Amino acid sequence: LASLTMNNLENVDGSFLVYNNANLASLTMNYLEKVDESFVVRYNDMLASLTMNNLRDVDGYGSDLQMVEANFNLASLTMNNLENVDGSFLVYNNANLASLTM
């Protein structure tokens, strides 16, 4: 899997995890607005671009797992409409991150 695009997913009633996909280079979710629990994008070695243009709300419900971590080739992280994170939101150990837009 080199590219993952979800054009109509609007709400995740639980955790959103994209984890350990060695060849995933692009993740685009144009209409995702809300994640009710954990939000984790982690250990995707080839991920270069993560775009979530309508993500507005990450609730967490007591979980501290809101993170974009250890995606070593991630060059661009774009979340244009993020308004609310319940808890912390960690962007960590993404060695090639050149562009962060939130």
Side-chain angles (χ1 to χ4, degrees), residues 12 14-18 34-42 50 52 55-71 77 79 82 84-94 102:
V12 176
S15 297
F16 177 85
L17 308 170
V18 179
K34 185 175 182 181
V35 176
D36 284 336
E37 292 183 15
S38 299
F39 176 90
V40 178
V41 179
R42 185 182 211 184
L50 171 59
M52 297 184 170
L55 183 62
R56 298 182 193 291
D57 192 12
V58 179
D59 279 343
Y61 289 122
S63 172
D64 285 333
L65 293 175
Q66 278 67 253
M67 66 180 68
V68 178
E69 178 188 13
N71 301 287
L77 171 58
M79 296 180 174
L82 187 61
N84 181 54
V85 174
D86 184 12
S88 58
F89 189 93
L90 178 67
V91 178
Y92 177 74
N93 200 20
N94 301 288
M102 295 179 122

mmCIF file of all heavy atoms in Angstrom, residues 12 14-18 34-42 50 52 55-71 77 79 82 84-94 102:
data_model
loop_
_atom_site.group_PDB
_atom_site.id
_atom_site.type_symbol
_atom_site.label_atom_id
_atom_site.label_comp_id
_atom_site.label_asym_id
_atom_site.label_seq_id
_atom_site.Cartn_x
_atom_site.Cartn_y
_atom_site.Cartn_z
ATOM 1 N N VAL A 12 -14.877 9.092 13.314
ATOM 2 C CA VAL A 12 -14.401 7.817 13.828
ATOM 3 C C VAL A 12 -14.876 7.716 15.271
ATOM 4 O O VAL A 12 -14.458 8.501 16.115
ATOM 5 C CB VAL A 12 -12.861 7.708 13.748
ATOM 6 C CG1 VAL A 12 -12.396 6.414 14.382
ATOM 7 C CG2 VAL A 12 -12.389 7.797 12.303
ATOM 8 N N GLY A 14 -14.239 5.953 17.865
ATOM 9 C CA GLY A 14 -13.254 5.087 18.494
ATOM 10 C C GLY A 14 -11.881 5.618 18.151
ATOM 11 O O GLY A 14 -11.694 6.820 17.981
ATOM 12 N N SER A 15 -10.926 4.727 18.011
ATOM 13 C CA SER A 15 -9.547 5.126 17.752
ATOM 14 C C SER A 15 -9.243 5.157 16.263
ATOM 15 O O SER A 15 -9.741 4.333 15.505
ATOM 16 C CB SER A 15 -8.579 4.159 18.437
ATOM 17 O OG SER A 15 -8.754 4.209 19.830
ATOM 18 N N PHE A 16 -8.394 6.103 15.876
ATOM 19 C CA PHE A 16 -7.872 6.203 14.514
ATOM 20 C C PHE A 16 -6.389 5.880 14.589
ATOM 21 O O PHE A 16 -5.613 6.625 15.172
ATOM 22 C CB PHE A 16 -8.080 7.611 13.958
ATOM 23 C CG PHE A 16 -7.507 7.796 12.584
ATOM 24 C CD1 PHE A 16 -8.247 7.447 11.478
ATOM 25 C CD2 PHE A 16 -6.232 8.318 12.408
ATOM 26 C CE1 PHE A 16 -7.725 7.609 10.204
ATOM 27 C CE2 PHE A 16 -5.707 8.481 11.141
ATOM 28 C CZ PHE A 16 -6.451 8.123 10.033
ATOM 29 N N LEU A 17 -5.989 4.728 14.040
ATOM 30 C CA LEU A 17 -4.607 4.279 14.102
ATOM 31 C C LEU A 17 -4.103 3.943 12.712
ATOM 32 O O LEU A 17 -4.709 3.133 12.014
ATOM 33 C CB LEU A 17 -4.483 3.027 14.982
ATOM 34 C CG LEU A 17 -5.071 3.086 16.377
ATOM 35 C CD1 LEU A 17 -5.091 1.705 17.011
ATOM 36 C CD2 LEU A 17 -4.288 4.047 17.246
ATOM 37 N N VAL A 18 -3.026 4.576 12.306
ATOM 38 C CA VAL A 18 -2.299 4.198 11.100
ATOM 39 C C VAL A 18 -0.902 3.887 11.602
ATOM 40 O O VAL A 18 -0.156 4.780 12.000
ATOM 41 C CB VAL A 18 -2.283 5.326 10.052
ATOM 42 C CG1 VAL A 18 -1.495 4.902 8.829
ATOM 43 C CG2 VAL A 18 -3.702 5.702 9.664
ATOM 44 N N LYS A 34 -13.895 14.358 12.987
ATOM 45 C CA LYS A 34 -13.841 14.077 14.415
ATOM 46 C C LYS A 34 -13.348 12.665 14.681
ATOM 47 O O LYS A 34 -13.769 11.718 14.032
ATOM 48 C CB LYS A 34 -15.219 14.265 15.043
ATOM 49 C CG LYS A 34 -15.229 14.103 16.538
ATOM 50 C CD LYS A 34 -16.588 14.429 17.121
ATOM 51 C CE LYS A 34 -16.538 14.306 18.634
ATOM 52 N NZ LYS A 34 -17.824 14.579 19.249
ATOM 53 N N VAL A 35 -12.450 12.550 15.664
ATOM 54 C CA VAL A 35 -12.004 11.262 16.182
ATOM 55 C C VAL A 35 -12.356 11.256 17.661
ATOM 56 O O VAL A 35 -11.966 12.164 18.398
ATOM 57 C CB VAL A 35 -10.483 11.055 15.980
ATOM 58 C CG1 VAL A 35 -10.038 9.750 16.612
ATOM 59 C CG2 VAL A 35 -10.134 11.075 14.492
ATOM 60 N N ASP A 36 -13.116 10.248 18.099
ATOM 61 C CA ASP A 36 -13.633 10.223 19.467
ATOM 62 C C ASP A 36 -12.652 9.679 20.499
ATOM 63 O O ASP A 36 -12.846 9.904 21.687
ATOM 64 C CB ASP A 36 -14.933 9.422 19.544
ATOM 65 C CG ASP A 36 -16.103 10.201 18.976
ATOM 66 O OD1 ASP A 36 -16.039 11.435 18.955
ATOM 67 O OD2 ASP A 36 -17.076 9.561 18.542
ATOM 68 N N GLU A 37 -11.652 8.930 20.096
ATOM 69 C CA GLU A 37 -10.698 8.393 21.057
ATOM 70 C C GLU A 37 -9.281 8.703 20.577
ATOM 71 O O GLU A 37 -8.998 9.823 20.212
ATOM 72 C CB GLU A 37 -10.947 6.905 21.286
ATOM 73 C CG GLU A 37 -12.264 6.652 22.011
ATOM 74 C CD GLU A 37 -12.529 5.197 22.317
ATOM 75 O OE1 GLU A 37 -11.591 4.369 22.245
ATOM 76 O OE2 GLU A 37 -13.683 4.874 22.634
ATOM 77 N N SER A 38 -8.405 7.738 20.576
ATOM 78 C CA SER A 38 -7.005 7.955 20.229
ATOM 79 C C SER A 38 -6.816 8.274 18.748
ATOM 80 O O SER A 38 -7.493 7.717 17.891
ATOM 81 C CB SER A 38 -6.179 6.705 20.564
ATOM 82 O OG SER A 38 -6.244 6.427 21.930
ATOM 83 N N PHE A 39 -5.857 9.155 18.491
ATOM 84 C CA PHE A 39 -5.437 9.497 17.133
ATOM 85 C C PHE A 39 -3.940 9.227 17.056
ATOM 86 O O PHE A 39 -3.158 9.911 17.701
ATOM 87 C CB PHE A 39 -5.722 10.973 16.843
ATOM 88 C CG PHE A 39 -5.236 11.419 15.503
ATOM 89 C CD1 PHE A 39 -6.067 11.336 14.405
ATOM 90 C CD2 PHE A 39 -3.947 11.920 15.332
ATOM 91 C CE1 PHE A 39 -5.625 11.749 13.164
ATOM 92 C CE2 PHE A 39 -3.504 12.327 14.099
ATOM 93 C CZ PHE A 39 -4.344 12.246 13.012
ATOM 94 N N VAL A 40 -3.548 8.193 16.305
ATOM 95 C CA VAL A 40 -2.138 7.810 16.248
ATOM 96 C C VAL A 40 -1.737 7.532 14.811
ATOM 97 O O VAL A 40 -2.343 6.705 14.126
ATOM 98 C CB VAL A 40 -1.857 6.547 17.106
ATOM 99 C CG1 VAL A 40 -0.399 6.138 17.009
ATOM 100 C CG2 VAL A 40 -2.259 6.781 18.550
ATOM 101 N N VAL A 41 -0.706 8.223 14.333
ATOM 102 C CA VAL A 41 -0.046 7.930 13.064
ATOM 103 C C VAL A 41 1.418 7.716 13.444
ATOM 104 O O VAL A 41 2.120 8.661 13.810
ATOM 105 C CB VAL A 41 -0.200 9.078 12.049
ATOM 106 C CG1 VAL A 41 0.523 8.745 10.758
ATOM 107 C CG2 VAL A 41 -1.680 9.341 11.767
ATOM 108 N N ARG A 42 1.870 6.464 13.357
ATOM 109 C CA ARG A 42 3.148 6.119 13.978
ATOM 110 C C ARG A 42 3.865 5.005 13.220
ATOM 111 O O ARG A 42 3.245 4.058 12.759
ATOM 112 C CB ARG A 42 2.841 5.659 15.397
ATOM 113 C CG ARG A 42 3.982 5.366 16.276
ATOM 114 C CD ARG A 42 3.421 4.882 17.583
ATOM 115 N NE ARG A 42 4.266 5.235 18.700
ATOM 116 C CZ ARG A 42 4.030 4.851 19.925
ATOM 117 N NH1 ARG A 42 2.958 4.149 20.201
ATOM 118 N NH2 ARG A 42 4.844 5.186 20.879
ATOM 119 N N LEU A 50 1.052 13.729 5.054
ATOM 120 C CA LEU A 50 -0.156 13.455 5.828
ATOM 121 C C LEU A 50 -1.030 14.694 5.746
ATOM 122 O O LEU A 50 -0.624 15.768 6.193
ATOM 123 C CB LEU A 50 0.192 13.145 7.285
ATOM 124 C CG LEU A 50 -0.950 13.028 8.291
ATOM 125 C CD1 LEU A 50 -1.929 11.941 7.877
ATOM 126 C CD2 LEU A 50 -0.412 12.751 9.681
ATOM 127 N N MET A 52 -4.990 16.156 6.381
ATOM 128 C CA MET A 52 -6.337 16.018 6.920
ATOM 129 C C MET A 52 -6.930 17.414 6.985
ATOM 130 O O MET A 52 -6.789 18.107 7.984
ATOM 131 C CB MET A 52 -6.303 15.353 8.292
ATOM 132 C CG MET A 52 -5.763 13.959 8.231
ATOM 133 S SD MET A 52 -5.837 13.151 9.810
ATOM 134 C CE MET A 52 -5.426 11.502 9.344
ATOM 135 N N LEU A 55 -10.119 17.911 9.695
ATOM 136 C CA LEU A 55 -10.098 17.406 11.064
ATOM 137 C C LEU A 55 -10.198 18.579 12.019
ATOM 138 O O LEU A 55 -9.366 19.475 12.032
ATOM 139 C CB LEU A 55 -8.822 16.612 11.334
ATOM 140 C CG LEU A 55 -8.735 15.972 12.719
ATOM 141 C CD1 LEU A 55 -9.865 14.954 12.915
ATOM 142 C CD2 LEU A 55 -7.383 15.323 12.922
ATOM 143 N N ARG A 56 -11.265 18.586 12.813
ATOM 144 C CA ARG A 56 -11.528 19.694 13.728
ATOM 145 C C ARG A 56 -11.403 19.294 15.196
ATOM 146 O O ARG A 56 -11.067 20.121 16.029
ATOM 147 C CB ARG A 56 -12.933 20.238 13.497
ATOM 148 C CG ARG A 56 -13.157 20.809 12.123
ATOM 149 C CD ARG A 56 -14.561 21.376 11.974
ATOM 150 N NE ARG A 56 -14.924 21.666 10.613
ATOM 151 C CZ ARG A 56 -14.422 22.615 9.867
ATOM 152 N NH1 ARG A 56 -13.486 23.386 10.331
ATOM 153 N NH2 ARG A 56 -14.837 22.811 8.637
ATOM 154 N N ASP A 57 -11.694 18.043 15.518
ATOM 155 C CA ASP A 57 -11.872 17.676 16.913
ATOM 156 C C ASP A 57 -11.322 16.283 17.187
ATOM 157 O O ASP A 57 -11.712 15.325 16.536
ATOM 158 C CB ASP A 57 -13.371 17.724 17.241
ATOM 159 C CG ASP A 57 -13.684 17.646 18.706
ATOM 160 O OD1 ASP A 57 -12.761 17.785 19.523
ATOM 161 O OD2 ASP A 57 -14.859 17.441 19.035
ATOM 162 N N VAL A 58 -10.403 16.183 18.160
ATOM 163 C CA VAL A 58 -9.915 14.905 18.652
ATOM 164 C C VAL A 58 -10.235 14.872 20.135
ATOM 165 O O VAL A 58 -9.656 15.631 20.913
ATOM 166 C CB VAL A 58 -8.403 14.730 18.406
ATOM 167 C CG1 VAL A 58 -7.934 13.390 18.948
ATOM 168 C CG2 VAL A 58 -8.074 14.848 16.922
ATOM 169 N N ASP A 59 -11.200 14.034 20.524
ATOM 170 C CA ASP A 59 -11.700 14.033 21.899
ATOM 171 C C ASP A 59 -10.806 13.296 22.875
ATOM 172 O O ASP A 59 -10.594 13.761 23.981
ATOM 173 C CB ASP A 59 -13.114 13.455 21.973
ATOM 174 C CG ASP A 59 -14.158 14.477 21.601
ATOM 175 O OD1 ASP A 59 -13.847 15.666 21.607
ATOM 176 O OD2 ASP A 59 -15.282 14.070 21.295
ATOM 177 N N GLY A 60 -10.346 12.155 22.549
ATOM 178 C CA GLY A 60 -9.449 11.420 23.423
ATOM 179 C C GLY A 60 -10.114 10.655 24.540
ATOM 180 O O GLY A 60 -9.668 9.580 24.877
ATOM 181 N N TYR A 61 -11.156 11.174 25.153
ATOM 182 C CA TYR A 61 -11.841 10.525 26.282
ATOM 183 C C TYR A 61 -10.855 9.942 27.290
ATOM 184 O O TYR A 61 -10.876 8.778 27.610
ATOM 185 C CB TYR A 61 -12.818 9.452 25.806
ATOM 186 C CG TYR A 61 -14.030 10.015 25.139
ATOM 187 C CD1 TYR A 61 -14.350 9.672 23.844
ATOM 188 C CD2 TYR A 61 -14.844 10.913 25.813
ATOM 189 C CE1 TYR A 61 -15.467 10.209 23.223
ATOM 190 C CE2 TYR A 61 -15.965 11.447 25.201
ATOM 191 C CZ TYR A 61 -16.263 11.090 23.908
ATOM 192 O OH TYR A 61 -17.358 11.619 23.299
ATOM 193 N N GLY A 62 -9.919 10.767 27.750
ATOM 194 C CA GLY A 62 -8.960 10.360 28.763
ATOM 195 C C GLY A 62 -7.710 9.701 28.226
ATOM 196 O O GLY A 62 -6.773 9.418 28.956
ATOM 197 N N SER A 63 -7.654 9.440 26.946
ATOM 198 C CA SER A 63 -6.471 8.828 26.364
ATOM 199 C C SER A 63 -5.445 9.904 26.029
ATOM 200 O O SER A 63 -5.781 10.968 25.533
ATOM 201 C CB SER A 63 -6.845 8.069 25.091
ATOM 202 O OG SER A 63 -5.680 7.646 24.433
ATOM 203 N N ASP A 64 -4.180 9.631 26.301
ATOM 204 C CA ASP A 64 -3.117 10.559 25.937
ATOM 205 C C ASP A 64 -2.491 10.213 24.596
ATOM 206 O O ASP A 64 -1.434 10.719 24.263
ATOM 207 C CB ASP A 64 -2.026 10.570 27.024
ATOM 208 C CG ASP A 64 -2.481 11.321 28.257
ATOM 209 O OD1 ASP A 64 -3.335 12.211 28.117
ATOM 210 O OD2 ASP A 64 -1.978 11.005 29.341
ATOM 211 N N LEU A 65 -3.131 9.357 23.832
ATOM 212 C CA LEU A 65 -2.553 8.941 22.564
ATOM 213 C C LEU A 65 -3.090 9.781 21.409
ATOM 214 O O LEU A 65 -3.917 9.353 20.635
ATOM 215 C CB LEU A 65 -2.833 7.456 22.316
ATOM 216 C CG LEU A 65 -2.142 6.489 23.249
ATOM 217 C CD1 LEU A 65 -2.600 5.071 22.981
ATOM 218 C CD2 LEU A 65 -0.639 6.591 23.121
ATOM 219 N N GLN A 66 -2.644 10.997 21.324
ATOM 220 C CA GLN A 66 -2.893 11.852 20.180
ATOM 221 C C GLN A 66 -1.511 12.210 19.639
ATOM 222 O O GLN A 66 -0.839 13.069 20.191
ATOM 223 C CB GLN A 66 -3.653 13.128 20.572
ATOM 224 C CG GLN A 66 -5.138 12.979 20.708
ATOM 225 C CD GLN A 66 -5.587 12.117 21.844
ATOM 226 O OE1 GLN A 66 -6.034 11.025 21.604
ATOM 227 N NE2 GLN A 66 -5.499 12.563 23.071
ATOM 228 N N MET A 67 -1.051 11.493 18.621
ATOM 229 C CA MET A 67 0.323 11.698 18.206
ATOM 230 C C MET A 67 0.567 11.377 16.743
ATOM 231 O O MET A 67 -0.112 10.565 16.138
ATOM 232 C CB MET A 67 1.269 10.852 19.058
ATOM 233 C CG MET A 67 1.121 9.361 18.880
ATOM 234 S SD MET A 67 2.259 8.409 19.908
ATOM 235 C CE MET A 67 1.625 8.740 21.536
ATOM 236 N N VAL A 68 1.537 12.087 16.197
ATOM 237 C CA VAL A 68 2.155 11.777 14.917
ATOM 238 C C VAL A 68 3.617 11.572 15.276
ATOM 239 O O VAL A 68 4.331 12.522 15.594
ATOM 240 C CB VAL A 68 1.969 12.920 13.901
ATOM 241 C CG1 VAL A 68 2.664 12.591 12.598
ATOM 242 C CG2 VAL A 68 0.479 13.193 13.663
ATOM 243 N N GLU A 69 4.066 10.324 15.285
ATOM 244 C CA GLU A 69 5.381 10.009 15.848
ATOM 245 C C GLU A 69 6.142 9.010 14.994
ATOM 246 O O GLU A 69 5.584 8.050 14.475
ATOM 247 C CB GLU A 69 5.213 9.424 17.252
ATOM 248 C CG GLU A 69 6.516 9.026 17.890
ATOM 249 C CD GLU A 69 6.348 8.284 19.191
ATOM 250 O OE1 GLU A 69 5.229 7.850 19.514
ATOM 251 O OE2 GLU A 69 7.354 8.134 19.881
ATOM 252 N N ALA A 70 7.442 9.236 14.865
ATOM 253 C CA ALA A 70 8.397 8.299 14.276
ATOM 254 C C ALA A 70 8.030 7.893 12.849
ATOM 255 O O ALA A 70 8.116 6.739 12.470
ATOM 256 C CB ALA A 70 8.579 7.078 15.168
ATOM 257 N N ASN A 71 7.593 8.869 12.071
ATOM 258 C CA ASN A 71 7.385 8.686 10.632
ATOM 259 C C ASN A 71 8.584 9.370 9.975
ATOM 260 O O ASN A 71 8.563 10.557 9.696
ATOM 261 C CB ASN A 71 6.065 9.326 10.204
ATOM 262 C CG ASN A 71 4.891 8.713 10.943
ATOM 263 O OD1 ASN A 71 4.512 7.596 10.678
ATOM 264 N ND2 ASN A 71 4.340 9.448 11.890
ATOM 265 N N LEU A 77 3.023 17.787 7.084
ATOM 266 C CA LEU A 77 1.869 17.476 7.918
ATOM 267 C C LEU A 77 0.929 18.664 7.838
ATOM 268 O O LEU A 77 1.294 19.774 8.233
ATOM 269 C CB LEU A 77 2.300 17.228 9.369
ATOM 270 C CG LEU A 77 1.204 17.086 10.425
ATOM 271 C CD1 LEU A 77 0.254 15.946 10.076
ATOM 272 C CD2 LEU A 77 1.813 16.874 11.802
ATOM 273 N N MET A 79 -2.980 19.992 8.689
ATOM 274 C CA MET A 79 -4.291 19.888 9.332
ATOM 275 C C MET A 79 -4.829 21.308 9.417
ATOM 276 O O MET A 79 -4.641 21.992 10.423
ATOM 277 C CB MET A 79 -4.167 19.254 10.717
ATOM 278 C CG MET A 79 -3.679 17.840 10.687
ATOM 279 S SD MET A 79 -3.567 17.169 12.344
ATOM 280 C CE MET A 79 -3.166 15.488 12.006
ATOM 281 N N LEU A 82 -7.852 22.137 12.405
ATOM 282 C CA LEU A 82 -7.857 21.559 13.744
ATOM 283 C C LEU A 82 -8.185 22.637 14.762
ATOM 284 O O LEU A 82 -7.510 23.654 14.858
ATOM 285 C CB LEU A 82 -6.500 20.925 14.063
ATOM 286 C CG LEU A 82 -6.419 20.140 15.365
ATOM 287 C CD1 LEU A 82 -7.394 18.967 15.350
ATOM 288 C CD2 LEU A 82 -5.001 19.647 15.591
ATOM 289 N N ASN A 84 -9.813 21.620 18.175
ATOM 290 C CA ASN A 84 -9.899 21.140 19.540
ATOM 291 C C ASN A 84 -9.196 19.795 19.679
ATOM 292 O O ASN A 84 -9.438 18.886 18.908
ATOM 293 C CB ASN A 84 -11.372 20.981 19.945
ATOM 294 C CG ASN A 84 -11.534 20.505 21.361
ATOM 295 O OD1 ASN A 84 -11.001 21.091 22.294
ATOM 296 N ND2 ASN A 84 -12.260 19.407 21.533
ATOM 297 N N VAL A 85 -8.324 19.709 20.692
ATOM 298 C CA VAL A 85 -7.716 18.438 21.086
ATOM 299 C C VAL A 85 -7.916 18.313 22.587
ATOM 300 O O VAL A 85 -7.499 19.191 23.340
ATOM 301 C CB VAL A 85 -6.210 18.392 20.744
ATOM 302 C CG1 VAL A 85 -5.593 17.122 21.292
ATOM 303 C CG2 VAL A 85 -5.991 18.487 19.241
ATOM 304 N N ASP A 86 -8.589 17.257 23.011
ATOM 305 C CA ASP A 86 -8.800 17.012 24.429
ATOM 306 C C ASP A 86 -7.607 16.197 24.931
ATOM 307 O O ASP A 86 -7.524 15.009 24.725
ATOM 308 C CB ASP A 86 -10.105 16.244 24.637
ATOM 309 C CG ASP A 86 -10.417 16.045 26.106
ATOM 310 O OD1 ASP A 86 -9.771 16.678 26.950
ATOM 311 O OD2 ASP A 86 -11.309 15.235 26.401
ATOM 312 N N GLY A 87 -6.675 16.844 25.582
ATOM 313 C CA GLY A 87 -5.428 16.227 26.009
ATOM 314 C C GLY A 87 -4.282 16.834 25.245
ATOM 315 O O GLY A 87 -4.362 17.964 24.754
ATOM 316 N N SER A 88 -3.224 16.112 25.089
ATOM 317 C CA SER A 88 -2.066 16.621 24.372
ATOM 318 C C SER A 88 -2.037 16.074 22.956
ATOM 319 O O SER A 88 -2.594 15.023 22.660
ATOM 320 C CB SER A 88 -0.785 16.244 25.116
ATOM 321 O OG SER A 88 -0.703 14.842 25.256
ATOM 322 N N PHE A 89 -1.391 16.814 22.080
ATOM 323 C CA PHE A 89 -1.198 16.372 20.696
ATOM 324 C C PHE A 89 0.292 16.433 20.437
ATOM 325 O O PHE A 89 0.887 17.504 20.426
ATOM 326 C CB PHE A 89 -1.951 17.278 19.718
ATOM 327 C CG PHE A 89 -1.961 16.739 18.315
ATOM 328 C CD1 PHE A 89 -3.015 15.955 17.888
ATOM 329 C CD2 PHE A 89 -0.932 17.010 17.434
ATOM 330 C CE1 PHE A 89 -3.037 15.446 16.602
ATOM 331 C CE2 PHE A 89 -0.944 16.505 16.154
ATOM 332 C CZ PHE A 89 -1.999 15.713 15.732
ATOM 333 N N LEU A 90 0.918 15.290 20.248
ATOM 334 C CA LEU A 90 2.360 15.176 20.153
ATOM 335 C C LEU A 90 2.788 14.951 18.707
ATOM 336 O O LEU A 90 2.306 14.028 18.051
ATOM 337 C CB LEU A 90 2.814 13.994 21.022
ATOM 338 C CG LEU A 90 4.284 13.635 21.045
ATOM 339 C CD1 LEU A 90 5.079 14.758 21.706
ATOM 340 C CD2 LEU A 90 4.470 12.329 21.820
ATOM 341 N N VAL A 91 3.665 15.807 18.208
ATOM 342 C CA VAL A 91 4.336 15.605 16.927
ATOM 343 C C VAL A 91 5.800 15.400 17.289
ATOM 344 O O VAL A 91 6.475 16.329 17.731
ATOM 345 C CB VAL A 91 4.156 16.809 15.987
ATOM 346 C CG1 VAL A 91 4.906 16.581 14.681
ATOM 347 C CG2 VAL A 91 2.677 17.046 15.703
ATOM 348 N N TYR A 92 6.295 14.170 17.147
ATOM 349 C CA TYR A 92 7.569 13.807 17.736
ATOM 350 C C TYR A 92 8.363 12.858 16.843
ATOM 351 O O TYR A 92 7.811 11.927 16.269
ATOM 352 C CB TYR A 92 7.295 13.139 19.089
ATOM 353 C CG TYR A 92 8.502 12.626 19.804
ATOM 354 C CD1 TYR A 92 9.390 13.501 20.423
ATOM 355 C CD2 TYR A 92 8.769 11.264 19.866
ATOM 356 C CE1 TYR A 92 10.508 13.027 21.083
ATOM 357 C CE2 TYR A 92 9.878 10.797 20.526
ATOM 358 C CZ TYR A 92 10.748 11.678 21.131
ATOM 359 O OH TYR A 92 11.843 11.210 21.781
ATOM 360 N N ASN A 93 9.651 13.100 16.749
ATOM 361 C CA ASN A 93 10.605 12.205 16.100
ATOM 362 C C ASN A 93 10.254 11.916 14.644
ATOM 363 O O ASN A 93 10.316 10.786 14.184
ATOM 364 C CB ASN A 93 10.730 10.898 16.905
ATOM 365 C CG ASN A 93 12.001 10.143 16.590
ATOM 366 O OD1 ASN A 93 12.958 10.718 16.074
ATOM 367 N ND2 ASN A 93 12.013 8.861 16.886
ATOM 368 N N ASN A 94 9.859 12.959 13.925
ATOM 369 C CA ASN A 94 9.636 12.886 12.482
ATOM 370 C C ASN A 94 10.808 13.626 11.843
ATOM 371 O O ASN A 94 10.752 14.829 11.626
ATOM 372 C CB ASN A 94 8.297 13.534 12.125
ATOM 373 C CG ASN A 94 7.149 12.840 12.834
ATOM 374 O OD1 ASN A 94 6.794 11.732 12.499
ATOM 375 N ND2 ASN A 94 6.587 13.495 13.837
ATOM 376 N N MET A 102 -1.142 23.695 10.880
ATOM 377 C CA MET A 102 -2.288 23.332 11.697
ATOM 378 C C MET A 102 -3.122 24.571 11.913
ATOM 379 O O MET A 102 -2.632 25.581 12.307
ATOM 380 C CB MET A 102 -1.834 22.751 13.035
ATOM 381 C CG MET A 102 -1.080 21.445 12.883
ATOM 382 S SD MET A 102 -0.537 20.818 14.469
ATOM 383 C CE MET A 102 -1.321 19.260 14.477
#
